[in-house]
Amino acid sequence: MSVHERKQRERAGRERLIVATARELAEQQGWDAVTTRRLAERIEYSQPVLYSHFRGKREIIGAVALEGAAEMASAVRAATSAADGPRERVAALALTYLDFAARNPAVYDALFQLDGGLAYAREDTPEPLKDAFAALLETLAEVAGDGVHPGLFTEVFWASLHGLATLTRAGRLLPEEAARRVELLVDRLAVV
């Protein structure tokens, strides 16, 4: 291995460490606790080293969001591929999405609430974000209904899931009705 390859591998390792540490800190204490000073202390590198990887917290949030998008896409695909039939796949998608949001609140915030400097719904949208949407579209396209554009239907269904995730986390919805909400969403919005 050349010196250049070794340095690139070390750099990539430091970058993964920064993102993992930011994510861990955000999940434990919230994004307000994630500062470059605190991250530098936790990873035992100087702040200039951290800034050589990311220009600031915004880019770190973006990196966490991209990682989270890939994880969410993988989880959705795994759940939907294990389900038999369109209705079961849509229900699996919905439950997996809501579970991901509940288990990873800081990552979910990085994806959908905070400014990570990422472009959404544009030509220059990063590939992990496009793939996360594609993971939803793959299942939802088959239940969009006649004459309904699958992408538009996916956006509406996704917005419904996001609303459920956000309102549930904020304590605005009764927890005991969670399963019935998903059932209603699947049965009334998806043409199965």
Side-chain angles (χ1 to χ4, degrees):
M1 173 184 309
S2 72
V3 172
H4 178 70
E5 289 171 330
R6 181 181 52 77
K7 286 185 178 189
Q8 281 183 320
R9 191 178 71 210
E10 289 171 356
R11 180 174 176 74
R14 276 192 310 271
E15 205 162 284
R16 283 190 303 274
L17 177 63
I18 293 165
V19 172
T21 304
R23 181 177 176 165
E24 179 183 319
L25 187 57
E27 291 293 2
Q28 291 171 353
Q29 300 176 31
W31 278 105
D32 286 343
V34 179
T35 64
T36 53
R37 178 177 300 222
R38 187 176 271 166
L39 283 175
E41 289 170 4
R42 283 210 174 184
I43 64 172
E44 297 179 346
Y45 283 101
S46 67
Q47 282 184 289
V49 168
L50 195 140
Y51 281 116
S52 74
H53 291 274
F54 299 99
R55 287 182 285 195
K57 183 176 176 177
R58 181 178 186 220
E59 282 189 5
I60 294 168
I61 290 169
V64 169
L66 293 176
E67 187 177 272
E71 290 172 12
M72 186 173 68
S74 177
V76 164
R77 284 189 175 108
T80 56
S81 70
D84 290 328
R87 185 193 187 290
E88 291 76 14
R89 282 190 287 279
V90 174
L93 178 151
L95 292 170
T96 301
Y97 182 98
L98 295 171
D99 181 63
F100 181 88
R103 285 186 303 102
N104 304 283
V107 173
Y108 193 80
D109 285 349
L111 268 164
F112 302 120
Q113 305 286 16
L114 302 174
D115 178 10
L118 303 173
Y120 285 80
R122 294 192 341 214
E123 193 72 27
D124 59 338
T125 298
E127 201 54 44
L129 298 178
K130 288 179 182 178
D131 189 53
F133 185 79
L136 302 177
L137 178 64
E138 289 160 10
T139 293
L140 295 171
E142 69 179 316
V143 297
D146 293 337
V148 178
H149 186 275
L152 183 61
F153 178 76
T154 300
E155 289 174 349
V156 171
F157 199 92
W158 170 31
S160 299
L161 289 174
H162 176 69
L164 288 175
T166 304
L167 291 169
T168 298
R169 188 162 138 208
R172 303 290 200 279
L173 300 175
L174 296 171
E176 60 270 15
E177 297 293 339
R180 289 190 57 207
R181 280 187 206 96
V182 170
E183 213 173 276
L184 184 62
L185 180 64
V186 171
D187 290 341
R188 299 298 175 145
L189 199 54
V191 178
V192 186

